[in-house]
Amino acid sequence: MSEKKSVYRIFSINPGSTSTKVAVFDNTKLVASKTDRYEKSELAKFNRILDQSEFRLNQIISWLDEQGIALESIDAFVGRGGILKPMESGVYEVNDTMLADLHVGRAALHASALGGIFAYELGRKYSKPAYIVDPVVVDERPMIAKVSGIPGTERGCVFHALNQRSVAHHYAEEHGKKYEDCCLLVAHLGGGITVGAHKYGKIVDVNDAIDGEGPFTPERCGSIQVDKIVELCFSGKYSKSDVMAFASKSGGLSALLNTTDCIEVEKRIEGGDEYAKLVYEAMIYNVAKQIGAMAAVLEGKAEAIILTGGLAYSKMITEKLKSMVSFIAPVEVYPGENELLALAEGALRAIRGEEKVKVY
């Protein structure tokens, strides 16, 4: 951007499978936000996620008009990036190559692809920059972290990169440091749980969130012996989609306690449900083990352990984790996952020249 300003207006776009979340920020100050939620029947008329583009974008534009926010006043558009090719963390301009990839393959199967597509379309129309920030496919691991014991099969790396890196930046700023000068362990606790080893500006190892590696979670089965999975696959009781569902959406608390609502689980525990207590504590126990594993990746140099995500609001979870892992490093809690703000912060760093924009 040629014009230097003290305040930049940024529009963040975060499409999900059944919602579109948007927000307008002046720098990092929230101006307005909106969440459009859709019934499954409302989306069923579209054959593909990409076919929803016009429907969702028109709702966004109508809302901005209702708020009296002119699209011409936006200095930068930023969206979730979708499941693209593996890339380094950071801020990326949405270029023609990225746009093509967002329209095809695995990326086009997830609604987050629409974030980058909308940012590109609006940015091109109003001659403003369009970005994505820290998509779920960030992969900065050295080769030693990718090798598995099966020929031709690498360990995957799909995780909560946006929120992990955002809270790491916040930690660094609050302690008078740069993120690039820190060694941190960041545990994102939500429907999926990931623990990342952040070493001097790069996330050098992390468990894969999308297919159940690491701790079991409210939705995912977590790591388990291969023979157990093989037995399930050949038992005749489950289809391929059934087994995959254990990994991604119907394992963990969902399978064991028939709920993914941790507030409900904690109420059961307070009411004396011993089995719920055992399962819940086992989940926390496995998160602590994952933090310990990533502490080894940082060779004992972690200066802090950060707990974030929706489950970080739970005192039961955070206090138990503190008791188990605080010997490694001090534990700090940054609850929630304000992805719209994280997107805006990334775009702001880019347009201020504080972070170099990368090319996909």
Side-chain angles (χ1 to χ4, degrees), residues 29-48:
K29 181 182 178 182
L30 180 64
V31 175
S33 65
K34 172 80 180 303
T35 298
D36 286 316
R37 301 193 184 278
Y38 315 113
E39 297 294 332
K40 289 185 178 179
S41 58
E42 194 174 14
L43 299 179
K45 59 186 176 183
F46 301 104
N47 293 325
R48 304 177 308 148

Side-chain angles (χ1 to χ4, degrees), residues 334-349:
Y334 291 72
E337 46 179 316
N338 196 337
E339 294 172 328
L340 292 169
L341 176 60
L343 290 170
E345 289 172 337
L348 185 62
R349 292 193 299 269

Side-chain angles (χ1 to χ4, degrees), residues 232-271:
L232 285 179
C233 291
F234 289 91
S235 67
K237 297 179 180 178
Y238 304 99
S239 66
K240 179 181 177 179
S241 61
D242 290 335
V243 176
M244 290 302 295
F246 281 129
S248 62
K249 61 183 180 181
S250 63
L253 300 187
S254 176
L256 297 170
L257 299 177
N258 201 32
T259 184
T260 60
D261 185 344
C262 289
I263 294 175
E264 179 186 331
V265 175
E266 292 187 8
K267 286 180 179 177
R268 290 191 202 175
I269 294 169
E270 291 167 1

Side-chain angles (χ1 to χ4, degrees), residues 44-191:
K45 59 186 176 183
F46 301 104
N47 293 325
R48 304 177 308 148
I49 285 172
L50 295 182
D51 296 336
Q52 302 169 13
S53 294
E54 184 177 358
F55 164 69
R56 293 197 191 212
L57 187 55
N58 284 341
Q59 286 191 329
I60 292 171
I61 293 171
S62 295
W63 172 73
L64 286 169
D65 187 55
E66 290 169 6
Q67 298 299 308
I69 298 172
L71 281 161
E72 294 87 344
S73 72
I74 306 295
D75 293 302
F77 298 92
V78 57
R80 291 301 300 271
I83 304 177
L84 292 157
K85 296 172 184 174
M87 60 181 72
E88 291 183 344
S89 61
V91 182
Y92 286 80
E93 182 180 4
V94 185
N95 56 20
D96 290 339
T97 303
M98 182 186 293
L99 187 70
D101 282 356
L102 288 171
H103 278 90
V104 299
R106 199 176 181 191
L109 299 177
H110 196 276
S112 58
L114 295 173
I117 292 170
F118 292 167
Y120 178 88
E121 291 180 359
L122 293 170
R124 182 180 59 176
K125 183 173 181 179
Y126 295 98
S127 300
K128 301 293 175 62
Y131 304 118
I132 66 166
V133 181
D134 295 326
V136 295
V137 291
V138 165
D139 190 354
E140 301 172 314
R141 301 169 301 161
M143 277 306 303
I144 196 170
K146 300 180 183 182
V147 177
S148 80
I150 300 176
T153 303
E154 289 187 353
R155 286 184 57 235
C157 186
V158 177
F159 71 108
H160 308 91
L162 179 63
N163 190 47
Q164 281 210 22
R165 196 161 177 260
S166 174
V167 295
H169 271 285
H170 279 282
Y171 168 88
E173 184 178 350
E174 290 172 8
H175 289 78
K177 299 182 177 184
K178 291 183 178 180
Y179 170 61
E180 291 75 15
D181 296 329
C182 296
C183 280
L184 304 167
L185 296 167
V186 183
H188 178 103
L189 312 173

Side-chain angles (χ1 to χ4, degrees), residues 255-330:
L256 297 170
L257 299 177
N258 201 32
T259 184
T260 60
D261 185 344
C262 289
I263 294 175
E264 179 186 331
V265 175
E266 292 187 8
K267 286 180 179 177
R268 290 191 202 175
I269 294 169
E270 291 167 1
D273 187 330
E274 289 298 323
Y275 180 64
K277 183 173 185 288
L278 172 64
V279 169
Y280 207 54
E281 290 186 349
M283 181 180 75
I284 300 167
Y285 172 87
N286 277 275
V287 175
K289 285 204 303 181
Q290 189 69 34
I291 291 172
M294 291 300 158
V297 171
L298 295 183
E299 299 175 329
K301 296 177 182 176
E303 66 182 79
I305 298 166
I306 299 173
L307 307 180
T308 185
L311 299 189
Y313 285 109
S314 166
K315 292 288 186 183
M316 190 177 294
I317 292 175
T318 57
E319 292 304 313
K320 181 63 176 177
L321 284 174
K322 285 179 182 179
S323 72
M324 295 184 72
V325 302
S326 58
F327 75 94
I328 298 170

